[in-house]
Amino acid sequence: MKICITSSDLNLNSPVDSRFGRAQYFLILDEKGNLEETISNPGVLASGGAGIAAAQKIIDQGVKILITGNIGPNALGVLETTNIQIFLCPFNIKVKEAFLMWKNDKLTLMKKPSVPGHFGHGSPGGRRGFNRRGRR
């Protein structure tokens, strides 16, 4: 089973990226937490449709579990058409810690977007008055 965790860098000690559509990287782990692959996110520099491009990329990778800091309505709409389960990770957590939290059933299963559309557009803090932690 493939598990994708959004990351701000290329290793398991990197912080989980709080933005799905504009995350720097997707780290693909196996069910034991071993790093299998690192993928640059094609949506990170997109002028629009970042969440959709990011969602399609992880669908193409055969991912079954997604762990991220936030997810917007467009990406969630695409991912809802699959069997991918999406889990919300708290802020300031490293990738390897996020995996262990998921393994120990301590992450929230997402049923609706955690941020509005265009949350991560532009600067890492997003627009519309939200900071990186999704707070005003």
Side-chain angles (χ1 to χ4, degrees):
M1 174 175 43
K2 291 187 177 186
I3 301 148
C4 175
I5 303 178
T6 58
S7 179
S8 60
D9 210 338
L10 296 169
N11 62 67
L12 297 175
N13 288 314
S14 306
V16 172
D17 200 310
S18 64
R19 306 163 299 165
F20 170 69
R22 295 194 185 274
Q24 290 292 313
Y25 302 100
F26 300 131
L27 302 188
I28 308 297
L29 286 67
D30 65 15
E31 63 276 353
K32 293 180 182 177
N34 299 312
L35 182 60
E36 289 188 340
E37 188 176 1
T38 58
I39 301 168
S40 294
N41 178 5
V44 74
L45 297 176
S47 60
I52 293 169
Q56 192 57 57
K57 186 67 174 179
I58 68 162
I59 290 168
D60 293 346
Q61 297 299 314
V63 166
K64 297 299 179 196
I65 301 292
L66 168 64
I67 301 170
T68 188
N70 284 296
I71 193 160
N74 294 336
L76 186 63
V78 172
L79 293 172
E80 284 179 329
T81 66
T82 71
N83 290 326
I84 296 173
Q85 292 184 318
I86 306 162
F87 292 87
L88 184 65
C89 180
F91 301 99
N92 297 322
I93 300 292
K94 293 180 180 178
V95 169
K96 65 181 176 183
E97 294 170 311
F99 172 81
L100 291 173
M101 291 174 75
W102 169 77
K103 194 84 168 165
N104 292 313
D105 227 9
K106 294 187 178 185
L107 295 180
T108 304
L109 181 64
M110 298 299 301
K111 298 290 185 185
K112 61 182 183 174
S114 59
V115 293
H118 304 288
F119 168 74
H121 189 73
S123 69
R127 296 190 326 187
R128 300 182 188 195
F130 285 88
N131 66 19
R132 284 196 77 167
R133 292 184 172 85
R135 300 182 186 127
R136 290 193 183 269

